[in-house]
Amino acid sequence: MLIFVNLFRNRQQNPCFEVYYQRRYLPSDQPCHKKHTMQDTTILWADDEIDLLKPHILFLNEKGYKVTTVTNGNDAVDAFKNGHFDVVFLDENMPGLTGLETLSQIKNVNNDVPIVLITKNEEEYLMEDAIGSKIDDYLIKPVHPKQIQLTIKRLTENKRLVTEKTTMAYQQDFRNLGMILNDNLSYQEWVDVYKKLIYWELELERLEDAGMHEILTLQKAEANTQFCKFIEKNYLNWMANPEAGPTISPQLFKKKVFPRLDGNGPVFFILIDNLRYDQFRIINPILTEYFRLEEEDAYYSILPTATQYARNSIFAGLMPLDMEKRYPGMWQNDEDEGGKNLFEGEFLADQLKRVLRKDIKHSYHKILNIDEGRALNESVQSHPEKDASGPPPKGGPLLALGPRFASHTPGTPRETRAWLHDSSREAERMIHAT
């Protein structure tokens, strides 16, 4: 399966990064995060042999942690209901409620507090039950006081430590990127810069740090400005000498798809309209559950980047002026009424014959809604080529899909994750079926 993403595209159809931002300097007086101190951390520890754990309790008290102890599961549930705790330690083998039974009742009260199960039992089934009950950690007795402290720090200070480390790493990369943006970058180096900025956008989006988000906003503004200058300087040269520049829209099939039509099985080309690279990175974990990513590459869209020009150019393998001459009955100018992307299947069929000079068994499907996606999935399931036991047909087949990402494409990474959460079950079911 091939997925290609139109990297440099926005609502204004300019050849710049998707989001417009402003200026670039890194303030030295950014507000620091409030640290989650040990004095803030309260611990509930339930163990029927709690007296034997006094050295551990004293050690934690000396480190500044406040520890409440109980000797059974019922008391643990009552204490949890009546108090505030940051971490709960549960012994598995207690009289009355077991550790797992206590865990279940505490989760019903508050599912967000991390819970650690401590047990002498190393049986695999118990560990599986604990993991299935969404335990946050699992310790085998005897436990060392330092081991308990490290567990607490990991569970309560993880967010702060990740925030500080991420912020420091971006501040360092900010300086490096700032210097790179003033260099005479190649088209591939611009792709690398874009991917780096998207990486930091997704990393910083996880942090509730408005200052870091503002800094990234300023840096993307500078990158956007410099990239527009780069396009203005080089675009006409690429048009005059396409082989000297990056892969562009009309070259996509020739360079990336046709070489794979070698008779070694079917090729699926999937074009997802309006899918930004950051959105691709967010949905990528679902794809990698079912497919192995062998190669990730980028191409540059022609201008204008509107689908009327850029997407038709992909399927036809031609520039817009050449399409207008070759397909006078299909090409639509801006002032013409009617749909502008109604003949992509015909453009693809013509490109296959024109470039490969032989008949290639292929099909084209445009998916505009989930029902059309289900219908295609069922069609693929029943297709005889799905059976991999027989010899593949010579030179194909090629299945080209032209779906839209969503009727209302999510904007921010947070919105994309919310959209993905709502639709992932259906998507996973369809992918798994394929």
mmCIF file with all atom_site columns, all heavy atoms in Angstrom, residues 43 45 56 59-60 89 116 118 139 143-153:
data_model
loop_
_atom_site.group_PDB
_atom_site.id
_atom_site.type_symbol
_atom_site.label_atom_id
_atom_site.label_alt_id
_atom_site.label_comp_id
_atom_site.label_asym_id
_atom_site.label_entity_id
_atom_site.label_seq_id
_atom_site.pdbx_PDB_ins_code
_atom_site.Cartn_x
_atom_site.Cartn_y
_atom_site.Cartn_z
_atom_site.occupancy
_atom_site.B_iso_or_equiv
_atom_site.pdbx_formal_charge
_atom_site.auth_seq_id
_atom_site.auth_comp_id
_atom_site.auth_asym_id
_atom_site.auth_atom_id
_atom_site.pdbx_PDB_model_num
ATOM 1   N N   . ILE A 1 43  ? -0.062 9.163  49.754 1.00 0.00 ? 43  ILE A N   1
ATOM 2   C CA  . ILE A 1 43  ? -0.042 7.761  49.361 1.00 0.00 ? 43  ILE A CA  1
ATOM 3   C C   . ILE A 1 43  ? -0.956 6.969  50.274 1.00 0.00 ? 43  ILE A C   1
ATOM 4   O O   . ILE A 1 43  ? -0.946 7.159  51.503 1.00 0.00 ? 43  ILE A O   1
ATOM 5   C CB  . ILE A 1 43  ? 1.390  7.199  49.438 1.00 0.00 ? 43  ILE A CB  1
ATOM 6   C CG1 . ILE A 1 43  ? 2.308  7.984  48.489 1.00 0.00 ? 43  ILE A CG1 1
ATOM 7   C CG2 . ILE A 1 43  ? 1.414  5.714  49.107 1.00 0.00 ? 43  ILE A CG2 1
ATOM 8   C CD1 . ILE A 1 43  ? 3.761  7.820  48.808 1.00 0.00 ? 43  ILE A CD1 1
ATOM 9   N N   . TRP A 1 45  ? -1.593 3.054  51.363 1.00 0.00 ? 45  TRP A N   1
ATOM 10  C CA  . TRP A 1 45  ? -0.933 1.745  51.288 1.00 0.00 ? 45  TRP A CA  1
ATOM 11  C C   . TRP A 1 45  ? -1.756 0.750  52.073 1.00 0.00 ? 45  TRP A C   1
ATOM 12  O O   . TRP A 1 45  ? -1.958 0.903  53.285 1.00 0.00 ? 45  TRP A O   1
ATOM 13  C CB  . TRP A 1 45  ? 0.480  1.831  51.857 1.00 0.00 ? 45  TRP A CB  1
ATOM 14  C CG  . TRP A 1 45  ? 1.372  0.673  51.447 1.00 0.00 ? 45  TRP A CG  1
ATOM 15  C CD1 . TRP A 1 45  ? 0.994  -0.593 51.165 1.00 0.00 ? 45  TRP A CD1 1
ATOM 16  C CD2 . TRP A 1 45  ? 2.787  0.711  51.289 1.00 0.00 ? 45  TRP A CD2 1
ATOM 17  N NE1 . TRP A 1 45  ? 2.074  -1.368 50.827 1.00 0.00 ? 45  TRP A NE1 1
ATOM 18  C CE2 . TRP A 1 45  ? 3.196  -0.576 50.898 1.00 0.00 ? 45  TRP A CE2 1
ATOM 19  C CE3 . TRP A 1 45  ? 3.740  1.702  51.436 1.00 0.00 ? 45  TRP A CE3 1
ATOM 20  C CZ2 . TRP A 1 45  ? 4.521  -0.903 50.664 1.00 0.00 ? 45  TRP A CZ2 1
ATOM 21  C CZ3 . TRP A 1 45  ? 5.064  1.376  51.199 1.00 0.00 ? 45  TRP A CZ3 1
ATOM 22  C CH2 . TRP A 1 45  ? 5.457  0.086  50.812 1.00 0.00 ? 45  TRP A CH2 1
ATOM 23  N N   . HIS A 1 56  ? 9.774  0.976  55.380 1.00 0.00 ? 56  HIS A N   1
ATOM 24  C CA  . HIS A 1 56  ? 9.417  1.602  54.112 1.00 0.00 ? 56  HIS A CA  1
ATOM 25  C C   . HIS A 1 56  ? 8.629  2.889  54.353 1.00 0.00 ? 56  HIS A C   1
ATOM 26  O O   . HIS A 1 56  ? 8.873  3.919  53.691 1.00 0.00 ? 56  HIS A O   1
ATOM 27  C CB  . HIS A 1 56  ? 8.567  0.651  53.271 1.00 0.00 ? 56  HIS A CB  1
ATOM 28  C CG  . HIS A 1 56  ? 9.245  -0.631 52.895 1.00 0.00 ? 56  HIS A CG  1
ATOM 29  N ND1 . HIS A 1 56  ? 9.570  -1.590 53.824 1.00 0.00 ? 56  HIS A ND1 1
ATOM 30  C CD2 . HIS A 1 56  ? 9.663  -1.114 51.685 1.00 0.00 ? 56  HIS A CD2 1
ATOM 31  C CE1 . HIS A 1 56  ? 10.144 -2.615 53.219 1.00 0.00 ? 56  HIS A CE1 1
ATOM 32  N NE2 . HIS A 1 56  ? 10.214 -2.355 51.913 1.00 0.00 ? 56  HIS A NE2 1
ATOM 33  N N   . PHE A 1 59  ? 10.926 5.599  55.637 1.00 0.00 ? 59  PHE A N   1
ATOM 34  C CA  . PHE A 1 59  ? 11.766 6.090  54.537 1.00 0.00 ? 59  PHE A CA  1
ATOM 35  C C   . PHE A 1 59  ? 10.994 7.098  53.685 1.00 0.00 ? 59  PHE A C   1
ATOM 36  O O   . PHE A 1 59  ? 11.509 8.172  53.348 1.00 0.00 ? 59  PHE A O   1
ATOM 37  C CB  . PHE A 1 59  ? 12.227 4.903  53.680 1.00 0.00 ? 59  PHE A CB  1
ATOM 38  C CG  . PHE A 1 59  ? 12.969 5.296  52.438 1.00 0.00 ? 59  PHE A CG  1
ATOM 39  C CD1 . PHE A 1 59  ? 14.321 5.614  52.494 1.00 0.00 ? 59  PHE A CD1 1
ATOM 40  C CD2 . PHE A 1 59  ? 12.318 5.347  51.205 1.00 0.00 ? 59  PHE A CD2 1
ATOM 41  C CE1 . PHE A 1 59  ? 15.010 5.980  51.337 1.00 0.00 ? 59  PHE A CE1 1
ATOM 42  C CE2 . PHE A 1 59  ? 13.003 5.719  50.056 1.00 0.00 ? 59  PHE A CE2 1
ATOM 43  C CZ  . PHE A 1 59  ? 14.352 6.034  50.126 1.00 0.00 ? 59  PHE A CZ  1
ATOM 44  N N   . LEU A 1 60  ? 9.748  6.764  53.371 1.00 0.00 ? 60  LEU A N   1
ATOM 45  C CA  . LEU A 1 60  ? 8.939  7.673  52.550 1.00 0.00 ? 60  LEU A CA  1
ATOM 46  C C   . LEU A 1 60  ? 8.614  8.954  53.306 1.00 0.00 ? 60  LEU A C   1
ATOM 47  O O   . LEU A 1 60  ? 8.606  10.049 52.715 1.00 0.00 ? 60  LEU A O   1
ATOM 48  C CB  . LEU A 1 60  ? 7.651  6.974  52.104 1.00 0.00 ? 60  LEU A CB  1
ATOM 49  C CG  . LEU A 1 60  ? 7.823  5.797  51.136 1.00 0.00 ? 60  LEU A CG  1
ATOM 50  C CD1 . LEU A 1 60  ? 6.482  5.141  50.857 1.00 0.00 ? 60  LEU A CD1 1
ATOM 51  C CD2 . LEU A 1 60  ? 8.487  6.231  49.835 1.00 0.00 ? 60  LEU A CD2 1
ATOM 52  N N   . PHE A 1 89  ? -1.032 1.846  46.858 1.00 0.00 ? 89  PHE A N   1
ATOM 53  C CA  . PHE A 1 89  ? -0.337 0.558  46.837 1.00 0.00 ? 89  PHE A CA  1
ATOM 54  C C   . PHE A 1 89  ? -1.262 -0.483 47.462 1.00 0.00 ? 89  PHE A C   1
ATOM 55  O O   . PHE A 1 89  ? -1.771 -0.287 48.571 1.00 0.00 ? 89  PHE A O   1
ATOM 56  C CB  . PHE A 1 89  ? 0.972  0.618  47.622 1.00 0.00 ? 89  PHE A CB  1
ATOM 57  C CG  . PHE A 1 89  ? 2.044  1.417  46.944 1.00 0.00 ? 89  PHE A CG  1
ATOM 58  C CD1 . PHE A 1 89  ? 2.253  2.749  47.264 1.00 0.00 ? 89  PHE A CD1 1
ATOM 59  C CD2 . PHE A 1 89  ? 2.851  0.829  45.982 1.00 0.00 ? 89  PHE A CD2 1
ATOM 60  C CE1 . PHE A 1 89  ? 3.236  3.488  46.626 1.00 0.00 ? 89  PHE A CE1 1
ATOM 61  C CE2 . PHE A 1 89  ? 3.841  1.557  45.344 1.00 0.00 ? 89  PHE A CE2 1
ATOM 62  C CZ  . PHE A 1 89  ? 4.037  2.894  45.667 1.00 0.00 ? 89  PHE A CZ  1
ATOM 63  N N   . VAL A 1 116 ? -0.820 0.562  42.261 1.00 0.00 ? 116 VAL A N   1
ATOM 64  C CA  . VAL A 1 116 ? 0.279  -0.400 42.140 1.00 0.00 ? 116 VAL A CA  1
ATOM 65  C C   . VAL A 1 116 ? -0.087 -1.642 42.946 1.00 0.00 ? 116 VAL A C   1
ATOM 66  O O   . VAL A 1 116 ? -0.456 -1.544 44.125 1.00 0.00 ? 116 VAL A O   1
ATOM 67  C CB  . VAL A 1 116 ? 1.599  0.193  42.661 1.00 0.00 ? 116 VAL A CB  1
ATOM 68  C CG1 . VAL A 1 116 ? 2.735  -0.817 42.511 1.00 0.00 ? 116 VAL A CG1 1
ATOM 69  C CG2 . VAL A 1 116 ? 1.924  1.494  41.931 1.00 0.00 ? 116 VAL A CG2 1
ATOM 70  N N   . ILE A 1 118 ? 1.087  -5.075 44.750 1.00 0.00 ? 118 ILE A N   1
ATOM 71  C CA  . ILE A 1 118 ? 2.284  -5.694 45.322 1.00 0.00 ? 118 ILE A CA  1
ATOM 72  C C   . ILE A 1 118 ? 1.914  -7.103 45.758 1.00 0.00 ? 118 ILE A C   1
ATOM 73  O O   . ILE A 1 118 ? 0.933  -7.300 46.479 1.00 0.00 ? 118 ILE A O   1
ATOM 74  C CB  . ILE A 1 118 ? 2.812  -4.889 46.525 1.00 0.00 ? 118 ILE A CB  1
ATOM 75  C CG1 . ILE A 1 118 ? 3.092  -3.448 46.110 1.00 0.00 ? 118 ILE A CG1 1
ATOM 76  C CG2 . ILE A 1 118 ? 4.070  -5.538 47.092 1.00 0.00 ? 118 ILE A CG2 1
ATOM 77  C CD1 . ILE A 1 118 ? 3.546  -2.559 47.254 1.00 0.00 ? 118 ILE A CD1 1
ATOM 78  N N   . LEU A 1 139 ? 4.517  -4.958 41.356 1.00 0.00 ? 139 LEU A N   1
ATOM 79  C CA  . LEU A 1 139 ? 5.770  -5.202 42.070 1.00 0.00 ? 139 LEU A CA  1
ATOM 80  C C   . LEU A 1 139 ? 5.714  -6.548 42.780 1.00 0.00 ? 139 LEU A C   1
ATOM 81  O O   . LEU A 1 139 ? 4.678  -6.938 43.317 1.00 0.00 ? 139 LEU A O   1
ATOM 82  C CB  . LEU A 1 139 ? 6.044  -4.091 43.087 1.00 0.00 ? 139 LEU A CB  1
ATOM 83  C CG  . LEU A 1 139 ? 6.124  -2.659 42.534 1.00 0.00 ? 139 LEU A CG  1
ATOM 84  C CD1 . LEU A 1 139 ? 6.342  -1.666 43.677 1.00 0.00 ? 139 LEU A CD1 1
ATOM 85  C CD2 . LEU A 1 139 ? 7.222  -2.534 41.488 1.00 0.00 ? 139 LEU A CD2 1
ATOM 86  N N   . VAL A 1 143 ? 9.930  -5.912 48.394 1.00 0.00 ? 143 VAL A N   1
ATOM 87  C CA  . VAL A 1 143 ? 10.212 -4.657 47.709 1.00 0.00 ? 143 VAL A CA  1
ATOM 88  C C   . VAL A 1 143 ? 11.145 -3.813 48.549 1.00 0.00 ? 143 VAL A C   1
ATOM 89  O O   . VAL A 1 143 ? 11.099 -3.824 49.780 1.00 0.00 ? 143 VAL A O   1
ATOM 90  C CB  . VAL A 1 143 ? 8.905  -3.879 47.420 1.00 0.00 ? 143 VAL A CB  1
ATOM 91  C CG1 . VAL A 1 143 ? 8.077  -4.600 46.392 1.00 0.00 ? 143 VAL A CG1 1
ATOM 92  C CG2 . VAL A 1 143 ? 8.105  -3.659 48.690 1.00 0.00 ? 143 VAL A CG2 1
ATOM 93  N N   . HIS A 1 144 ? 11.999 -3.059 47.903 1.00 0.00 ? 144 HIS A N   1
ATOM 94  C CA  . HIS A 1 144 ? 12.963 -2.189 48.575 1.00 0.00 ? 144 HIS A CA  1
ATOM 95  C C   . HIS A 1 144 ? 12.376 -0.776 48.672 1.00 0.00 ? 144 HIS A C   1
ATOM 96  O O   . HIS A 1 144 ? 11.650 -0.342 47.764 1.00 0.00 ? 144 HIS A O   1
ATOM 97  C CB  . HIS A 1 144 ? 14.272 -2.170 47.786 1.00 0.00 ? 144 HIS A CB  1
ATOM 98  C CG  . HIS A 1 144 ? 15.402 -1.528 48.507 1.00 0.00 ? 144 HIS A CG  1
ATOM 99  N ND1 . HIS A 1 144 ? 15.607 -0.166 48.496 1.00 0.00 ? 144 HIS A ND1 1
ATOM 100 C CD2 . HIS A 1 144 ? 16.396 -2.059 49.276 1.00 0.00 ? 144 HIS A CD2 1
ATOM 101 C CE1 . HIS A 1 144 ? 16.666 0.118  49.222 1.00 0.00 ? 144 HIS A CE1 1
ATOM 102 N NE2 . HIS A 1 144 ? 17.171 -1.021 49.710 1.00 0.00 ? 144 HIS A NE2 1
ATOM 103 N N   . PRO A 1 145 ? 12.651 -0.041 49.739 1.00 0.00 ? 145 PRO A N   1
ATOM 104 C CA  . PRO A 1 145 ? 12.133 1.323  49.860 1.00 0.00 ? 145 PRO A CA  1
ATOM 105 C C   . PRO A 1 145 ? 12.450 2.194  48.654 1.00 0.00 ? 145 PRO A C   1
ATOM 106 O O   . PRO A 1 145 ? 11.609 2.985  48.199 1.00 0.00 ? 145 PRO A O   1
ATOM 107 C CB  . PRO A 1 145 ? 12.796 1.846  51.134 1.00 0.00 ? 145 PRO A CB  1
ATOM 108 C CG  . PRO A 1 145 ? 13.029 0.623  51.957 1.00 0.00 ? 145 PRO A CG  1
ATOM 109 C CD  . PRO A 1 145 ? 13.358 -0.459 50.976 1.00 0.00 ? 145 PRO A CD  1
ATOM 110 N N   . LYS A 1 146 ? 13.677 2.067  48.111 1.00 0.00 ? 146 LYS A N   1
ATOM 111 C CA  . LYS A 1 146 ? 14.049 2.863  46.929 1.00 0.00 ? 146 LYS A CA  1
ATOM 112 C C   . LYS A 1 146 ? 13.180 2.489  45.726 1.00 0.00 ? 146 LYS A C   1
ATOM 113 O O   . LYS A 1 146 ? 12.832 3.341  44.905 1.00 0.00 ? 146 LYS A O   1
ATOM 114 C CB  . LYS A 1 146 ? 15.525 2.636  46.589 1.00 0.00 ? 146 LYS A CB  1
ATOM 115 C CG  . LYS A 1 146 ? 16.480 3.558  47.306 1.00 0.00 ? 146 LYS A CG  1
ATOM 116 C CD  . LYS A 1 146 ? 16.418 4.954  46.678 1.00 0.00 ? 146 LYS A CD  1
ATOM 117 C CE  . LYS A 1 146 ? 17.490 5.872  47.243 1.00 0.00 ? 146 LYS A CE  1
ATOM 118 N NZ  . LYS A 1 146 ? 17.376 7.233  46.671 1.00 0.00 ? 146 LYS A NZ  1
ATOM 119 N N   . GLN A 1 147 ? 12.839 1.197  45.639 1.00 0.00 ? 147 GLN A N   1
ATOM 120 C CA  . GLN A 1 147 ? 11.984 0.740  44.549 1.00 0.00 ? 147 GLN A CA  1
ATOM 121 C C   . GLN A 1 147 ? 10.609 1.392  44.638 1.00 0.00 ? 147 GLN A C   1
ATOM 122 O O   . GLN A 1 147 ? 10.035 1.815  43.625 1.00 0.00 ? 147 GLN A O   1
ATOM 123 C CB  . GLN A 1 147 ? 11.856 -0.785 44.622 1.00 0.00 ? 147 GLN A CB  1
ATOM 124 C CG  . GLN A 1 147 ? 11.098 -1.416 43.479 1.00 0.00 ? 147 GLN A CG  1
ATOM 125 C CD  . GLN A 1 147 ? 10.979 -2.920 43.646 1.00 0.00 ? 147 GLN A CD  1
ATOM 126 O OE1 . GLN A 1 147 ? 11.364 -3.483 44.677 1.00 0.00 ? 147 GLN A OE1 1
ATOM 127 N NE2 . GLN A 1 147 ? 10.451 -3.585 42.642 1.00 0.00 ? 147 GLN A NE2 1
ATOM 128 N N   . ILE A 1 148 ? 10.099 1.505  45.857 1.00 0.00 ? 148 ILE A N   1
ATOM 129 C CA  . ILE A 1 148 ? 8.812  2.170  46.068 1.00 0.00 ? 148 ILE A CA  1
ATOM 130 C C   . ILE A 1 148 ? 8.908  3.644  45.688 1.00 0.00 ? 148 ILE A C   1
ATOM 131 O O   . ILE A 1 148 ? 8.028  4.195  45.008 1.00 0.00 ? 148 ILE A O   1
ATOM 132 C CB  . ILE A 1 148 ? 8.372  2.029  47.540 1.00 0.00 ? 148 ILE A CB  1
ATOM 133 C CG1 . ILE A 1 148 ? 8.114  0.558  47.883 1.00 0.00 ? 148 ILE A CG1 1
ATOM 134 C CG2 . ILE A 1 148 ? 7.131  2.876  47.817 1.00 0.00 ? 148 ILE A CG2 1
ATOM 135 C CD1 . ILE A 1 148 ? 6.954  -0.048 47.162 1.00 0.00 ? 148 ILE A CD1 1
ATOM 136 N N   . GLN A 1 149 ? 9.991  4.303  46.117 1.00 0.00 ? 149 GLN A N   1
ATOM 137 C CA  . GLN A 1 149 ? 10.157 5.728  45.814 1.00 0.00 ? 149 GLN A CA  1
ATOM 138 C C   . GLN A 1 149 ? 10.230 5.967  44.309 1.00 0.00 ? 149 GLN A C   1
ATOM 139 O O   . GLN A 1 149 ? 9.603  6.897  43.781 1.00 0.00 ? 149 GLN A O   1
ATOM 140 C CB  . GLN A 1 149 ? 11.403 6.285  46.495 1.00 0.00 ? 149 GLN A CB  1
ATOM 141 C CG  . GLN A 1 149 ? 11.575 7.778  46.274 1.00 0.00 ? 149 GLN A CG  1
ATOM 142 C CD  . GLN A 1 149 ? 12.934 8.295  46.710 1.00 0.00 ? 149 GLN A CD  1
ATOM 143 O OE1 . GLN A 1 149 ? 13.874 7.513  46.896 1.00 0.00 ? 149 GLN A OE1 1
ATOM 144 N NE2 . GLN A 1 149 ? 13.044 9.605  46.883 1.00 0.00 ? 149 GLN A NE2 1
ATOM 145 N N   . LEU A 1 150 ? 10.992 5.142  43.598 1.00 0.00 ? 150 LEU A N   1
ATOM 146 C CA  . LEU A 1 150 ? 11.114 5.314  42.150 1.00 0.00 ? 150 LEU A CA  1
ATOM 147 C C   . LEU A 1 150 ? 9.767  5.099  41.455 1.00 0.00 ? 150 LEU A C   1
ATOM 148 O O   . LEU A 1 150 ? 9.444  5.789  40.484 1.00 0.00 ? 150 LEU A O   1
ATOM 149 C CB  . LEU A 1 150 ? 12.159 4.345  41.593 1.00 0.00 ? 150 LEU A CB  1
ATOM 150 C CG  . LEU A 1 150 ? 13.614 4.640  41.964 1.00 0.00 ? 150 LEU A CG  1
ATOM 151 C CD1 . LEU A 1 150 ? 14.525 3.530  41.466 1.00 0.00 ? 150 LEU A CD1 1
ATOM 152 C CD2 . LEU A 1 150 ? 14.048 5.981  41.377 1.00 0.00 ? 150 LEU A CD2 1
ATOM 153 N N   . THR A 1 151 ? 8.988  4.155  41.954 1.00 0.00 ? 151 THR A N   1
ATOM 154 C CA  . THR A 1 151 ? 7.662  3.930  41.392 1.00 0.00 ? 151 THR A CA  1
ATOM 155 C C   . THR A 1 151 ? 6.772  5.150  41.581 1.00 0.00 ? 151 THR A C   1
ATOM 156 O O   . THR A 1 151 ? 6.055  5.576  40.669 1.00 0.00 ? 151 THR A O   1
ATOM 157 C CB  . THR A 1 151 ? 7.012  2.693  42.049 1.00 0.00 ? 151 THR A CB  1
ATOM 158 O OG1 . THR A 1 151 ? 7.832  1.542  41.802 1.00 0.00 ? 151 THR A OG1 1
ATOM 159 C CG2 . THR A 1 151 ? 5.617  2.451  41.481 1.00 0.00 ? 151 THR A CG2 1
ATOM 160 N N   . ILE A 1 152 ? 6.831  5.738  42.783 1.00 0.00 ? 152 ILE A N   1
ATOM 161 C CA  . ILE A 1 152 ? 6.033  6.937  43.063 1.00 0.00 ? 152 ILE A CA  1
ATOM 162 C C   . ILE A 1 152 ? 6.447  8.084  42.145 1.00 0.00 ? 152 ILE A C   1
ATOM 163 O O   . ILE A 1 152 ? 5.605  8.775  41.565 1.00 0.00 ? 152 ILE A O   1
ATOM 164 C CB  . ILE A 1 152 ? 6.174  7.348  44.543 1.00 0.00 ? 152 ILE A CB  1
ATOM 165 C CG1 . ILE A 1 152 ? 5.580  6.281  45.455 1.00 0.00 ? 152 ILE A CG1 1
ATOM 166 C CG2 . ILE A 1 152 ? 5.487  8.692  44.799 1.00 0.00 ? 152 ILE A CG2 1
ATOM 167 C CD1 . ILE A 1 152 ? 5.884  6.493  46.920 1.00 0.00 ? 152 ILE A CD1 1
ATOM 168 N N   . LYS A 1 153 ? 7.767  8.277  42.010 1.00 0.00 ? 153 LYS A N   1
ATOM 169 C CA  . LYS A 1 153 ? 8.247  9.379  41.169 1.00 0.00 ? 153 LYS A CA  1
ATOM 170 C C   . LYS A 1 153 ? 7.813  9.185  39.721 1.00 0.00 ? 153 LYS A C   1
ATOM 171 O O   . LYS A 1 153 ? 7.407  10.135 39.048 1.00 0.00 ? 153 LYS A O   1
ATOM 172 C CB  . LYS A 1 153 ? 9.780  9.470  41.256 1.00 0.00 ? 153 LYS A CB  1
ATOM 173 C CG  . LYS A 1 153 ? 10.288 10.024 42.568 1.00 0.00 ? 153 LYS A CG  1
ATOM 174 C CD  . LYS A 1 153 ? 11.802 10.075 42.602 1.00 0.00 ? 153 LYS A CD  1
ATOM 175 C CE  . LYS A 1 153 ? 12.350 11.136 41.666 1.00 0.00 ? 153 LYS A CE  1
ATOM 176 N NZ  . LYS A 1 153 ? 12.079 12.488 42.147 1.00 0.00 ? 153 LYS A NZ  1
#
